[in-house]
Amino acid sequence: MKLPKTYNTYFLAIIATVGGMLFGFDISSMSAIIGTAQYTDYFNDPHGIIQGAIGSALAAGSVVGAVFAGPLSDKISRRDSIFVACLFWLVGTAIQVACNGYGMLIAGRIINGICVGITSSQVPVYLAEIAKKEKRGSIIVIQQLAIEWGILIMYFVGYGCSFIAGTASFRTAWGIQFVPAVGLMIGIPFLPRTPRWLAKVGRTKAAIETLAKIQAHGDINDPLVVAEWEEITTILAAEREGQKGWRRFIKNGMWRRTFAGMSVQAWQQLSGANVMTYYVVYVFQMAGLSGNINLISSGVQYALFIIFTAVTFFFIDRTGRRPLLIYGAIGMGVCMFIVGGVLGNYGTYVPEGVGGNLNVVVSVTGNAAHTVIAFSYLLVIVYALTLAPIAWVYAAEVWSLETRATGMALASIANWLFNFAIGLFIPPAFHNISWKTFIIFGVLCFGAAIQAYLTYPETAGKSLEEIELMFSKDGPRPWNTKPGDSLLDQKIEDVKGMQREGKGSIGDITHTNFGKEYSE
C-alpha cells in the first residue's frame, strides 16, 4: 500500500527534525541526572575521566554513525537513512535503561550515538534539498530548535524523575527516550524522498513531480520548477564527468568546500558551548547554586536556548551566514573571558570539591557569582542566535549534489570528534585547571571568527547549485560576498520569457539533459 505524502516544507521539517530531538533528549538525559544522589550513589560518584567518558560516549558513537551515514543515505535515500537510525536508538536506549554499571551505560550511549551521527548529518541534508533558497536557513534552523526542545523537555523530565527514589529515578528518565524515536518512525513513511536524491539515482519523473509538489503545488511547468530542474540536471551531469571517489572532496577546488563544511562544525564545538549544554550544573555549582535551585536555574538556560534560536528563524535568511558566524564567535569569546576572569580573580580553591563534587574545585560568592551566572546565560543566548543553528545550516549548504550526503557526514564527523574530545576534556579540565578552561575556549572563539571572515563565502539566498560558484577558484573573495543576488532568479525570468514564446516547458529541459521526454 502506497502511503499518502505531505509536501508542506515546514511540516516536512517538523517531522524530520524529531531526529534532532533525539540528540537533545540524550544530552539532557545526562545533564539533569549527573547531579542527583541516585546517580552518584549507584555509579560510585563518577568524576574526572570516567564522567568524561560517560558524557562523551554519545559523541564517540556519533562519529561511527556519521562514517557510514553518507553511503547509506546515497544508497537508500536521505529519508530512509533516518528511519534506519531510529533502530539503533531503540537498542541503545534499552541498554541504558537496563544498565548495571557505567560500562553498560557507556555502551548504550555509544549505540544511541550511532543514531545521532546519522540523523545529525542527514536531516540537514534532507531539509536543504527540499527547501526554497530564500527559506533554506529558516527551515534548517528547525533542526536546531528540535534539538533544544529535546534538551528542555528531557531536562525537566529528568528533574521530575529526580524525586523518584532509587535507580528508578534515572531508568525512568532514560526510558522516556523511546517515545520520540517511535513517533519519528511512524511519521517518516509519510515524507517524500528529496527531488535531488531522486534525480541522482535516475528517477526523473518522480524527481520532477516531487519538486513541483514542494515548490509549485504540483505545477511541473512553473518557471521556478523548470529553472531549478535545469540547474539540478546541468550541475549533476557536470559532476558525473568529474572526479570519482574521495578525490571529489579535494580536487578541482573541492577542498575549499570540504574545509568549510568540516571546520564550521568543528568550531561549533571548539567554541566551548558544551560547557553550558552538558555541564552547566557544574558551572552553577561554582557560582554557589545547589540542589533544586541549581537544577531549575540550569533549566532556565535551556529555555533561553529555545527562545533565542526561535528568534533566529525570522532573520537568518536576511542577515546571512557570515555576520552571524563572525560576530557570534566574538560574542561568545568575550563571555568566556569574563566568566574565566571572574572565577580566576575572585574564586576560592576547594580541593575536596564544592559539595563533595570533585569536578568542581573553585567557588565564587556574591557579585562575582551573579556575574558568572549572568554571563553564562548571555553566552547561551549568543550561541543560540549564531553558531548553534548557523553551523548546521552552513555545513549542509556548501556541498554539491554528488558529495552532499557524504560531505555532510564528514562535517558531522568533525563535529562529533571535537564533541567527544571536549566532552572528555571538560570534567578533568574543571578539576585540574578550573577557571583557565574558560580562557582556552575564549581564545578558540576568536580563532573561529578570524577563519569565518577569511574563508567562508556567503550562501544565503543562493540555490544549492550556484553555491558551487562561491567556492570555485574564480569565485569572489569571501569578504566580498553578500546574501541574495541569486542567478536562479534570472533563470526564472528567462524561462518566463521562453514560455511566452511557447517554449520552456519541463519537457524541453528533460529532453535536453536526459535524452528522453518527461512522460517516459
Side-chain angles (χ1 to χ4, degrees):
M1 181 180 69
K2 193 173 183 180
L3 293 174
K5 300 292 187 292
T6 181
Y7 294 93
N8 180 283
T9 51
Y10 288 106
F11 189 72
L12 294 177
I14 289 169
I15 295 176
T17 53
V18 174
M21 186 175 286
L22 299 180
F23 176 25
F25 263 54
D26 205 88
I27 290 175
S28 278
S29 72
M30 291 307 302
S31 60
I33 296 295
I34 58 175
T36 64
Q38 297 95 317
Y39 174 84
T40 55
D41 290 346
Y42 186 77
F43 293 102
N44 196 26
D45 192 16
H47 59 275
I49 194 68
I50 293 176
Q51 181 57 49
I54 294 171
S56 60
L58 178 80
S62 298
V63 172
V64 176
V67 165
F68 65 82
L72 179 69
S73 178
D74 283 336
K75 180 70 175 176
I76 67 173
S77 81
R78 289 52 165 135
R79 185 197 74 172
D80 295 346
S81 66
I82 299 168
F83 187 91
V84 170
C86 292
L87 300 177
F88 287 99
W89 184 267
L90 298 181
V91 174
T93 299
I95 292 173
Q96 287 185 69
V97 172
C99 72
N100 57 10
Y102 57 76
M104 200 168 171
L105 173 59
I106 290 171
R109 283 177 60 74
I110 289 174
I111 295 173
N112 271 18
I114 294 174
C115 166
V116 173
I118 298 171
T119 57
S120 65
S121 62
Q122 298 314 305
V123 169
V125 170
Y126 182 86
L127 299 179
E129 291 189 349
I130 64 169
K132 292 183 179 180
K133 60 181 175 58
E134 62 270 14
K135 294 181 179 179
R136 191 171 57 244
S138 60
I139 289 290
I140 301 178
V141 164
I142 296 174
Q143 157 84 350
Q144 183 63 33
L145 274 171
I147 293 173
E148 292 162 15
W149 271 110
I151 291 173
L152 181 69
I153 292 169
M154 192 63 198
Y155 186 85
F156 281 105
V157 166
Y159 173 69
C161 289
S162 69
F163 295 98
I164 301 174
T167 64
S169 171
F170 52 80
R171 295 188 199 278
T172 302
W174 295 339
I176 289 173
Q177 294 179 114
F178 283 116
V179 176
V182 172
L184 179 57
M185 294 174 79
I186 292 171
I188 283 175
F190 296 94
L191 306 183
R193 295 179 177 89
T194 72
R196 287 173 170 84
W197 179 82
L198 291 166
K200 185 177 184 298
V201 298
R203 295 172 59 178
T204 306
K205 187 173 186 293
I208 294 171
E209 288 176 345
T210 302
L211 181 66
K213 288 175 180 176
I214 291 174
Q215 304 284 48
H217 305 291
D219 181 3
I220 62 173
N221 289 313
D222 183 276
L224 170 59
V225 175
V226 175
E228 191 164 357
W229 181 251
E230 180 180 21
E231 206 171 55
I232 290 170
T233 54
T234 301
I235 292 296
L236 183 58
E239 287 179 6
R240 286 175 171 168
E241 294 176 0
Q243 299 291 330
K244 305 298 181 183
W246 288 102
R247 289 178 296 176
R248 293 177 298 169
F249 297 94
I250 301 172
K251 298 289 187 179
N252 298 330
M254 267 301 297
W255 68 268
R256 295 183 180 87
R257 281 193 270 183
T258 302
F259 181 62
M262 294 184 72
S263 63
V264 74
Q265 289 280 287
W267 284 124
Q268 188 194 54
Q269 297 302 318
L270 290 170
S271 67
N274 276 355
V275 173
M276 298 304 167
T277 53
Y278 281 31
Y279 298 110
V280 66
V281 171
Y282 292 167
V283 177
F284 285 174
Q285 274 187 299
M286 296 176 192
L289 300 183
S290 61
N292 290 337
I293 297 298
N294 189 345
L295 292 175
I296 293 171
S297 299
S298 301
V300 169
Q301 176 232 194
Y302 295 132
L304 289 173
F305 212 160
I306 290 176
I307 292 168
F308 285 94
T309 299
V311 171
T312 308
F313 179 88
F314 297 100
F315 65 76
I316 182 174
D317 287 308
R318 294 196 303 273
T319 304
R321 321 305 189 224
R322 276 175 56 83
L324 296 175
L325 288 169
I326 294 168
Y327 294 114
I330 292 172
M332 289 182 67
V334 170
C335 291
M336 285 289 187
F337 284 142
I338 291 174
V339 171
V342 169
L343 290 171
N345 283 293
Y346 300 98
T348 301
Y349 179 59
V350 185
E352 70 278 9
V354 176
N357 186 345
L358 294 175
N359 293 302
V360 182
V361 294
V362 63
S363 176
V364 290
T365 57
N367 289 334
H370 298 155
T371 302
V372 168
I373 294 169
F375 278 90
S376 294
Y377 282 146
L378 183 59
L379 185 145
V380 168
I381 290 171
V382 175
Y383 180 62
L385 288 169
T386 57
L387 267 70
I390 308 305
W392 291 107
V393 172
Y394 197 78
E397 292 177 320
V398 300
W399 309 98
S400 63
L401 178 55
E402 284 285 292
T403 62
R404 187 167 296 122
T406 301
M408 187 60 198
L410 286 173
S412 295
I413 288 171
N415 184 300
W416 292 114
L417 280 174
F418 283 102
N419 187 302
F420 171 76
I422 289 171
L424 200 62
F425 164 77
I426 289 172
F430 277 172
H431 179 76
N432 294 310
I433 60 174
S434 61
W435 61 270
K436 299 182 185 72
T437 306
F438 296 93
I439 304 301
I440 291 171
F441 285 124
V443 172
L444 290 171
C445 284
F446 276 84
I450 292 169
Q451 195 212 316
Y453 178 81
L454 294 175
T455 66
Y456 295 166
E458 184 58 69
T459 57
K462 297 172 174 61
S463 72
L464 291 174
E465 286 66 39
E466 69 183 284
I467 288 173
E468 297 215 9
L469 301 175
M470 297 289 102
F471 286 94
S472 67
K473 184 173 64 174
D474 300 322
R477 298 292 186 185
W479 51 87
N480 290 330
T481 58
K482 61 181 181 179
D485 296 334
S486 175
L487 299 176
L488 181 61
D489 295 332
Q490 182 57 51
K491 289 184 180 180
I492 292 171
E493 293 303 315
D494 292 343
V495 171
K496 289 179 178 178
M498 293 173 64
Q499 289 180 342
R500 285 193 289 269
E501 298 173 3
K503 304 174 184 178
S505 69
I506 196 72
D508 297 328
I509 303 301
T510 54
H511 179 79
T512 300
N513 288 287
F514 287 89
K516 58 183 180 180
E517 297 297 333
Y518 168 75
S519 59
E520 297 179 5

